[in-house]
Amino acid sequence: MPQKLENTYVIQQKNSFSNDAAHKEICMEYPFSHSVKKDGNEASRQFSVKELAELWLTDIQEILRPSSYACYQAYTSKYIIPYIGQLQAGVFCKEDLFTMLEFLRVGNGKRNSLSQYTIYVVESIVRAMFRYGAEMGLVPEIAFGKAGYIIKNKKDALPLSELEMQQLINTARQHEMDIQIQVMLPLYTGASLSELCGLKWEDIDLENGKIHIHRNLMRVQQKKLSSKEDTENISDKDIKSNKSKKMATVLKEFELPESECREFIIPEKLARLLELIAEKKNPEKERYVATIDKKCKHTGKKYSPPDGRTLQNHLKSLGEQAWIPELTFKRLRDTFAVMCLQAGGDLYSVAYVLGVGINAVCERYGQWLVKSDSFIRGIG
């Protein structure tokens, strides 16, 4: 049974504005999904949280990267609108926000509880949405107070120890090449999960020993198509629009901003594995590197991209076999960054290879930066 939530907006009657079966299911397990009553009268439904969310998403679309916008849109449609979308934006309050977040945190029998980071992002989106509404004069300013789910030490790196890294590599070598490459690529290039999914063989120059990271792969929502419709003819505007009730989640490529694109030398251990795979499999240039041993459905020269959730499950399973619980691609990226610093990489070069700013490297990997004043002796 779902947890009973106490809130000033818990309603006595069932919602009457939707006959959708999935929505009725949510209404049964979450009190916010019912009509709101205030002072015994049903509140006006002329401006809902859902409508505010749609206005906010439309307004921020032009100032965000496509991948970031897709992430905000996905969180809003999955974790915010189904639960508080029909509430009145004008009477929403901080108690409503924290009740929703607590419900998402504990989960129930039908839905798994969310991670602290996911709840943190959801809270940030709701706060930004209502701040936008207040600035535009659409809703009263709401004093939400201090954030309830701040991530403590979120910026602190957590690299693998040398022993853990060797355990992971040895465990990966007991598996097929597709599993090995899914581990070795982020470990020896610092590629994020989305960048790993978007990497193709055309981005790897084995002759000169270089790798070019300039693309990532994100999940976005688009209208469901009939068998007669061609996905090639869908515009980006249609993909980003969430007005249709029939939506499907698909993987879509995005070019990275120029500041995050990079090309650098492939480490020797990774180069040997890539050369072995290229010799053994002879993959086409258009093929995704992370699915070398998978049967990809393709039409013409287009290949199915790897699913980041599948890759994360592979890595988590591999980590458990190597006695490294809850292993993530973020930890592999942290390990690569620390190895670069310990190998003598200067701050600017490491920031370039990671595709981030120098300040980001200082904040996350500051304890691994070598501090020395010996250079002062050479001045003058």
Side-chain angles (χ1 to χ4, degrees):
M1 293 292 293
Q3 180 177 349
K4 181 72 174 178
L5 300 179
E6 296 297 330
N7 186 271
T8 56
Y9 286 6
V10 174
I11 325 299
Q12 301 300 323
Q13 66 180 44
K14 289 188 176 182
N15 186 2
S16 61
F17 57 80
S18 174
N19 294 321
D20 182 74
H23 185 76
K24 286 184 177 180
E25 180 182 343
I26 292 177
C27 288
M28 295 177 64
E29 62 185 44
Y30 193 66
F32 279 170
S33 295
H34 304 295
S35 301
V36 177
K37 280 192 173 183
K38 191 175 181 180
D39 299 329
N41 298 319
E42 187 173 357
S44 170
R45 294 184 56 255
Q46 60 183 359
F47 192 72
S48 65
V49 174
K50 178 181 178 182
E51 292 167 326
L52 175 62
E54 290 173 346
L55 288 172
W56 176 69
L57 286 170
T58 301
D59 203 49
I60 66 173
Q61 183 173 351
E62 298 301 323
I63 62 175
L64 291 180
R65 289 187 299 160
S67 57
S68 299
Y69 177 80
C71 179
Y72 281 21
Q73 187 184 47
Y75 273 80
T76 302
S77 63
K78 188 173 183 180
Y79 300 122
I80 296 176
I81 291 178
Y83 298 106
I84 62 173
Q86 300 298 338
L87 281 183
Q88 293 309 292
V91 292
F92 192 79
C93 64
K94 66 178 181 179
E95 287 79 10
D96 299 332
L97 171 61
F98 292 134
T99 301
M100 181 195 76
L101 296 175
E102 181 64 14
F103 177 82
L104 293 174
R105 185 187 70 81
V106 300
N108 56 49
K110 295 181 181 179
R111 290 177 174 81
N112 295 327
S113 58
L114 301 182
S115 68
Q116 186 183 14
Y117 179 70
T118 300
I119 298 175
Y120 163 74
V121 175
V122 170
E123 180 178 6
S124 300
I125 290 175
V126 173
R127 286 172 175 266
M129 184 189 306
F130 277 90
R131 185 165 59 249
Y132 161 81
E135 291 174 353
M136 299 297 292
L138 301 173
V139 297
E141 186 173 352
I142 301 175
F144 283 119
K146 186 178 180 181
Y149 291 89
I150 296 176
I151 301 298
K152 297 181 179 179
N153 301 323
K154 183 64 182 178
K155 293 183 178 179
D156 291 345
L158 189 62
L160 299 175
S161 66
E162 186 175 350
L163 177 60
E164 288 175 326
M165 189 169 65
Q166 290 304 320
Q167 289 174 183
L168 180 62
I169 293 174
N170 291 337
T171 304
R173 285 173 177 167
Q174 300 173 20
H175 293 262
E176 299 295 329
M177 286 184 177
D178 64 326
I179 299 296
Q180 294 182 43
I181 204 65
Q182 291 168 16
V183 173
M184 298 290 279
L185 260 169
L187 183 61
Y188 285 105
T189 66
S192 66
L193 176 56
S194 61
E195 292 170 347
L196 171 63
C197 291
L199 193 68
K200 297 182 180 180
W201 281 97
E202 64 187 12
D203 304 320
I204 297 176
D205 183 358
L206 292 175
E207 184 176 349
N208 296 308
K210 290 190 174 184
I211 186 169
H212 185 201
I213 298 177
H214 63 96
R215 181 194 310 109
N216 66 5
L217 213 60
M218 297 291 294
R219 283 191 165 274
V220 297
Q221 287 190 325
Q222 71 174 35
K223 296 179 181 178
K224 289 183 179 179
L225 301 177
S226 65
S227 58
K228 296 181 180 180
E229 291 179 297
D230 185 6
T231 56
E232 297 289 331
N233 297 326
I234 301 180
S235 66
D236 289 341
K237 184 178 181 181
D238 290 333
I239 291 175
K240 293 173 184 175
S241 174
N242 196 24
K243 294 180 180 179
S244 173
K245 294 181 179 180
K246 296 181 179 181
M247 302 295 288
T249 303
V250 297
L251 290 166
K252 184 175 176 62
E253 292 180 5
F254 294 100
E255 286 292 320
L256 293 174
E258 187 175 350
S259 60
E260 296 180 21
C261 295
R262 60 259 195 211
E263 184 178 63
F264 52 88
I265 296 171
I266 303 175
E268 187 177 344
K269 288 185 178 180
L270 176 59
R272 287 201 297 266
L273 177 60
L274 289 170
E275 289 170 357
L276 180 61
I277 293 175
E279 181 181 351
K280 194 171 183 180
K281 302 292 183 179
N282 191 26
E284 295 88 345
K285 293 285 188 181
E286 299 86 355
R287 196 157 195 164
Y288 293 94
V289 180
T291 56
I292 184 63
D293 280 345
K294 301 296 181 183
K295 292 182 179 179
C296 298
K297 297 178 182 178
H298 60 88
T299 304
K301 295 185 178 180
K302 293 208 167 183
Y303 294 86
S304 297
D307 190 330
R309 296 177 298 187
T310 301
L311 268 59
Q312 182 59 67
N313 289 336
H314 288 171
L315 183 64
K316 183 178 179 180
S317 175
L318 200 67
E320 292 172 350
Q321 296 173 40
W323 298 93
I324 309 173
E326 301 300 326
L327 182 61
T328 64
F329 284 95
K330 190 69 173 178
R331 291 197 68 185
L332 298 186
R333 181 174 166 87
D334 284 341
T335 305
F336 169 77
V338 171
M339 285 194 296
C340 288
L341 293 170
Q342 292 176 337
D346 64 90
L347 192 57
Y348 177 82
S349 299
V350 173
Y352 168 78
V353 170
L354 291 173
V356 298
I358 292 177
N359 289 341
V361 176
C362 293
E363 289 177 3
R364 190 167 182 84
Y365 308 107
Q367 59 182 308
W368 286 278
L369 294 174
V370 177
K371 300 176 181 178
S372 173
D373 60 359
S374 59
F375 62 89
I376 298 177
R377 295 191 184 95
I379 295 178

